[in-house]
Amino acid sequence: MGVNPQIAGKTYTGSPVYEVGREKIREFAQAIRSTDPVHTDPEAARALGYPDVVAPPTFAIVIAQRCEGLVMTDPEAGIDYSRLVHGEQKFTHHRPIVAGDRLTSVAHVDDARMMAGNGRVVTRIEITDAAGEPVATAVSMVIIRAEEQA
Amino acid sequence: MSVKFDQVSVGDELAAADVTVTRADLIRYAGASGDFNVIHWNERVATSVGLPGVIAHGMYTMALGGRYVSDWAGDAGAVVQYGVRFTNPVPVPDDDNGATVTYSGKVTATDEVARTVTVTLTVLSGGQKVLGKAIAVVRLP
């Protein structure tokens, strides 16, 4: 139950390359009801100096959560996904994500411990582009609630 | 329209904005983000796990805060850092009015060298703070 603290320090590669598409950025921007043309109009994005449409500031979660899934479903972690609560999320953008990016993600478990019966896991996803340059770092903290608190 | 670094000072306040969140918004966000956790669309499951009802994705309220800051900055690519703590869920009733989430923000730091400003957000719904430690760092021209 909770989480196996032994996974602290573990690294997970193998998340498939994520290809950022214009229509996916448009769909995400519409879902957050953004009307900023930088998300939908390549010309507007180029006018601001970007090579193509720019993803909204939290779009990286789409890529990060796929990679984080490798941690959450690792049999060694022993995590019951249905008891998982998102506690904290932080993004650092080394550069904006734009349409056309081919992004690779690696998950690092920065912390995994039991606290008062609950599991607590801090995962850091490092997202890099096709040239290997850093694009974004997404850090999440999740709590795996103890049974008796259900 | 874009805010310039030299126009911003610590203590400046961003105009508050009310955002309505309905069930339809949650469905749309689920599809766009790929987060299909049932507590964000299924009342039966949500109440069975002790929630007051269907709740908004924490990442949705965070995303709306990101939009709030980037709309102010005038450039969505300018948000270089953004972090939150999820402190309280936002229950979204099954009606046409949905829930109202209120975003406000204050400039709490500036960095002359990096030409970045730090905006600390206050995000409330139903009288409760739904995001804590909600801080964005924005690079301005």
Side-chain angles (χ1 to χ4, degrees), chain B residues 3-21:
Chain B
V3 180
K4 301 280 188 285
F5 179 81
D6 293 328
Q7 299 168 337
V8 177
S9 311
V10 171
D12 284 0
E13 291 188 12
L14 283 63
D18 282 342
V19 181
T20 300
V21 177

PDB file of all heavy atoms in Angstrom, chain B residues 3-21:
ATOM      1  N   VAL B   3       2.751  43.730 -21.941  1.00  0.00           N
ATOM      2  CA  VAL B   3       3.249  44.530 -20.824  1.00  0.00           C
ATOM      3  C   VAL B   3       4.762  44.616 -20.946  1.00  0.00           C
ATOM      4  O   VAL B   3       5.421  43.644 -21.298  1.00  0.00           O
ATOM      5  CB  VAL B   3       2.884  43.842 -19.486  1.00  0.00           C
ATOM      6  CG1 VAL B   3       3.401  44.654 -18.305  1.00  0.00           C
ATOM      7  CG2 VAL B   3       1.396  43.645 -19.379  1.00  0.00           C
ATOM      8  N   LYS B   4       5.323  45.799 -20.683  1.00  0.00           N
ATOM      9  CA  LYS B   4       6.777  45.959 -20.732  1.00  0.00           C
ATOM     10  C   LYS B   4       7.361  45.844 -19.321  1.00  0.00           C
ATOM     11  O   LYS B   4       6.744  46.273 -18.354  1.00  0.00           O
ATOM     12  CB  LYS B   4       7.139  47.329 -21.326  1.00  0.00           C
ATOM     13  CG  LYS B   4       6.601  47.562 -22.749  1.00  0.00           C
ATOM     14  CD  LYS B   4       7.468  46.899 -23.797  1.00  0.00           C
ATOM     15  CE  LYS B   4       7.056  47.283 -25.199  1.00  0.00           C
ATOM     16  NZ  LYS B   4       5.809  46.600 -25.624  1.00  0.00           N
ATOM     17  N   PHE B   5       8.570  45.275 -19.257  1.00  0.00           N
ATOM     18  CA  PHE B   5       9.214  45.066 -17.962  1.00  0.00           C
ATOM     19  C   PHE B   5       9.298  46.372 -17.162  1.00  0.00           C
ATOM     20  O   PHE B   5       9.006  46.404 -15.966  1.00  0.00           O
ATOM     21  CB  PHE B   5      10.615  44.467 -18.167  1.00  0.00           C
ATOM     22  CG  PHE B   5      11.353  44.241 -16.888  1.00  0.00           C
ATOM     23  CD1 PHE B   5      11.107  43.110 -16.120  1.00  0.00           C
ATOM     24  CD2 PHE B   5      12.287  45.180 -16.425  1.00  0.00           C
ATOM     25  CE1 PHE B   5      11.777  42.897 -14.917  1.00  0.00           C
ATOM     26  CE2 PHE B   5      12.958  44.974 -15.223  1.00  0.00           C
ATOM     27  CZ  PHE B   5      12.706  43.836 -14.472  1.00  0.00           C
ATOM     28  N   ASP B   6       9.658  47.458 -17.856  1.00  0.00           N
ATOM     29  CA  ASP B   6       9.866  48.726 -17.151  1.00  0.00           C
ATOM     30  C   ASP B   6       8.566  49.348 -16.637  1.00  0.00           C
ATOM     31  O   ASP B   6       8.605  50.286 -15.846  1.00  0.00           O
ATOM     32  CB  ASP B   6      10.594  49.718 -18.074  1.00  0.00           C
ATOM     33  CG  ASP B   6      12.015  49.259 -18.373  1.00  0.00           C
ATOM     34  OD1 ASP B   6      12.613  48.611 -17.492  1.00  0.00           O
ATOM     35  OD2 ASP B   6      12.505  49.532 -19.491  1.00  0.00           O
ATOM     36  N   GLN B   7       7.422  48.822 -17.109  1.00  0.00           N
ATOM     37  CA  GLN B   7       6.125  49.356 -16.656  1.00  0.00           C
ATOM     38  C   GLN B   7       5.626  48.660 -15.396  1.00  0.00           C
ATOM     39  O   GLN B   7       4.594  49.029 -14.856  1.00  0.00           O
ATOM     40  CB  GLN B   7       5.060  49.162 -17.752  1.00  0.00           C
ATOM     41  CG  GLN B   7       5.373  49.873 -19.060  1.00  0.00           C
ATOM     42  CD  GLN B   7       4.445  49.418 -20.183  1.00  0.00           C
ATOM     43  OE1 GLN B   7       3.872  48.333 -20.137  1.00  0.00           O
ATOM     44  NE2 GLN B   7       4.302  50.267 -21.193  1.00  0.00           N
ATOM     45  N   VAL B   8       6.341  47.607 -14.962  1.00  0.00           N
ATOM     46  CA  VAL B   8       5.834  46.767 -13.878  1.00  0.00           C
ATOM     47  C   VAL B   8       6.627  47.005 -12.591  1.00  0.00           C
ATOM     48  O   VAL B   8       7.855  47.103 -12.632  1.00  0.00           O
ATOM     49  CB  VAL B   8       5.925  45.274 -14.279  1.00  0.00           C
ATOM     50  CG1 VAL B   8       5.468  44.368 -13.152  1.00  0.00           C
ATOM     51  CG2 VAL B   8       5.086  45.024 -15.527  1.00  0.00           C
ATOM     52  N   SER B   9       5.913  47.106 -11.469  1.00  0.00           N
ATOM     53  CA  SER B   9       6.569  47.265 -10.169  1.00  0.00           C
ATOM     54  C   SER B   9       5.991  46.269  -9.182  1.00  0.00           C
ATOM     55  O   SER B   9       4.839  45.839  -9.314  1.00  0.00           O
ATOM     56  CB  SER B   9       6.323  48.668  -9.604  1.00  0.00           C
ATOM     57  OG  SER B   9       6.583  49.649 -10.561  1.00  0.00           O
ATOM     58  N   VAL B  10       6.795  45.929  -8.181  1.00  0.00           N
ATOM     59  CA  VAL B  10       6.321  45.062  -7.102  1.00  0.00           C
ATOM     60  C   VAL B  10       5.110  45.733  -6.438  1.00  0.00           C
ATOM     61  O   VAL B  10       5.129  46.936  -6.188  1.00  0.00           O
ATOM     62  CB  VAL B  10       7.446  44.809  -6.067  1.00  0.00           C
ATOM     63  CG1 VAL B  10       6.907  44.103  -4.822  1.00  0.00           C
ATOM     64  CG2 VAL B  10       8.562  43.981  -6.702  1.00  0.00           C
ATOM     65  N   GLY B  11       4.065  44.967  -6.241  1.00  0.00           N
ATOM     66  CA  GLY B  11       2.844  45.501  -5.633  1.00  0.00           C
ATOM     67  C   GLY B  11       1.749  45.745  -6.657  1.00  0.00           C
ATOM     68  O   GLY B  11       0.582  45.894  -6.287  1.00  0.00           O
ATOM     69  N   ASP B  12       2.102  45.796  -7.945  1.00  0.00           N
ATOM     70  CA  ASP B  12       1.083  45.972  -8.992  1.00  0.00           C
ATOM     71  C   ASP B  12       0.075  44.822  -8.919  1.00  0.00           C
ATOM     72  O   ASP B  12       0.449  43.672  -8.701  1.00  0.00           O
ATOM     73  CB  ASP B  12       1.726  45.946 -10.394  1.00  0.00           C
ATOM     74  CG  ASP B  12       2.458  47.229 -10.723  1.00  0.00           C
ATOM     75  OD1 ASP B  12       2.459  48.138  -9.871  1.00  0.00           O
ATOM     76  OD2 ASP B  12       3.033  47.313 -11.826  1.00  0.00           O
ATOM     77  N   GLU B  13      -1.191  45.159  -9.133  1.00  0.00           N
ATOM     78  CA  GLU B  13      -2.219  44.120  -9.109  1.00  0.00           C
ATOM     79  C   GLU B  13      -2.788  43.893 -10.504  1.00  0.00           C
ATOM     80  O   GLU B  13      -2.991  44.833 -11.263  1.00  0.00           O
ATOM     81  CB  GLU B  13      -3.343  44.509  -8.138  1.00  0.00           C
ATOM     82  CG  GLU B  13      -2.842  44.475  -6.699  1.00  0.00           C
ATOM     83  CD  GLU B  13      -3.936  44.667  -5.675  1.00  0.00           C
ATOM     84  OE1 GLU B  13      -5.127  44.603  -6.044  1.00  0.00           O
ATOM     85  OE2 GLU B  13      -3.582  44.883  -4.493  1.00  0.00           O
ATOM     86  N   LEU B  14      -3.040  42.615 -10.822  1.00  0.00           N
ATOM     87  CA  LEU B  14      -3.681  42.262 -12.091  1.00  0.00           C
ATOM     88  C   LEU B  14      -5.192  42.342 -11.863  1.00  0.00           C
ATOM     89  O   LEU B  14      -5.668  41.977 -10.774  1.00  0.00           O
ATOM     90  CB  LEU B  14      -3.313  40.834 -12.509  1.00  0.00           C
ATOM     91  CG  LEU B  14      -1.931  40.586 -13.121  1.00  0.00           C
ATOM     92  CD1 LEU B  14      -0.815  40.906 -12.131  1.00  0.00           C
ATOM     93  CD2 LEU B  14      -1.809  39.138 -13.589  1.00  0.00           C
ATOM     94  N   ALA B  15      -5.924  42.802 -12.856  1.00  0.00           N
ATOM     95  CA  ALA B  15      -7.385  42.887 -12.725  1.00  0.00           C
ATOM     96  C   ALA B  15      -7.951  41.486 -12.490  1.00  0.00           C
ATOM     97  O   ALA B  15      -7.605  40.541 -13.194  1.00  0.00           O
ATOM     98  CB  ALA B  15      -7.974  43.484 -13.998  1.00  0.00           C
ATOM     99  N   ALA B  16      -8.805  41.365 -11.483  1.00  0.00           N
ATOM    100  CA  ALA B  16      -9.385  40.055 -11.150  1.00  0.00           C
ATOM    101  C   ALA B  16     -10.309  39.577 -12.276  1.00  0.00           C
ATOM    102  O   ALA B  16     -10.886  40.386 -12.990  1.00  0.00           O
ATOM    103  CB  ALA B  16     -10.151  40.131  -9.841  1.00  0.00           C
ATOM    104  N   ALA B  17     -10.404  38.272 -12.441  1.00  0.00           N
ATOM    105  CA  ALA B  17     -11.261  37.700 -13.487  1.00  0.00           C
ATOM    106  C   ALA B  17     -12.038  36.506 -12.930  1.00  0.00           C
ATOM    107  O   ALA B  17     -11.476  35.644 -12.253  1.00  0.00           O
ATOM    108  CB  ALA B  17     -10.410  37.246 -14.672  1.00  0.00           C
ATOM    109  N   ASP B  18     -13.349  36.497 -13.205  1.00  0.00           N
ATOM    110  CA  ASP B  18     -14.192  35.344 -12.857  1.00  0.00           C
ATOM    111  C   ASP B  18     -14.262  34.415 -14.047  1.00  0.00           C
ATOM    112  O   ASP B  18     -14.520  34.864 -15.174  1.00  0.00           O
ATOM    113  CB  ASP B  18     -15.623  35.801 -12.534  1.00  0.00           C
ATOM    114  CG  ASP B  18     -15.728  36.385 -11.146  1.00  0.00           C
ATOM    115  OD1 ASP B  18     -14.822  36.142 -10.319  1.00  0.00           O
ATOM    116  OD2 ASP B  18     -16.733  37.090 -10.867  1.00  0.00           O
ATOM    117  N   VAL B  19     -14.052  33.129 -13.822  1.00  0.00           N
ATOM    118  CA  VAL B  19     -14.167  32.144 -14.897  1.00  0.00           C
ATOM    119  C   VAL B  19     -15.235  31.132 -14.508  1.00  0.00           C
ATOM    120  O   VAL B  19     -15.230  30.609 -13.390  1.00  0.00           O
ATOM    121  CB  VAL B  19     -12.830  31.418 -15.152  1.00  0.00           C
ATOM    122  CG1 VAL B  19     -12.961  30.423 -16.298  1.00  0.00           C
ATOM    123  CG2 VAL B  19     -11.716  32.423 -15.439  1.00  0.00           C
ATOM    124  N   THR B  20     -16.168  30.891 -15.424  1.00  0.00           N
ATOM    125  CA  THR B  20     -17.216  29.899 -15.191  1.00  0.00           C
ATOM    126  C   THR B  20     -16.720  28.539 -15.688  1.00  0.00           C
ATOM    127  O   THR B  20     -16.192  28.436 -16.786  1.00  0.00           O
ATOM    128  CB  THR B  20     -18.484  30.300 -15.959  1.00  0.00           C
ATOM    129  OG1 THR B  20     -18.892  31.584 -15.483  1.00  0.00           O
ATOM    130  CG2 THR B  20     -19.612  29.302 -15.735  1.00  0.00           C
ATOM    131  N   VAL B  21     -16.899  27.522 -14.844  1.00  0.00           N
ATOM    132  CA  VAL B  21     -16.500  26.166 -15.221  1.00  0.00           C
ATOM    133  C   VAL B  21     -17.731  25.269 -15.158  1.00  0.00           C
ATOM    134  O   VAL B  21     -18.338  25.115 -14.098  1.00  0.00           O
ATOM    135  CB  VAL B  21     -15.404  25.624 -14.274  1.00  0.00           C
ATOM    136  CG1 VAL B  21     -15.042  24.184 -14.639  1.00  0.00           C
ATOM    137  CG2 VAL B  21     -14.168  26.516 -14.309  1.00  0.00           C
TER     138      VAL B  21
END
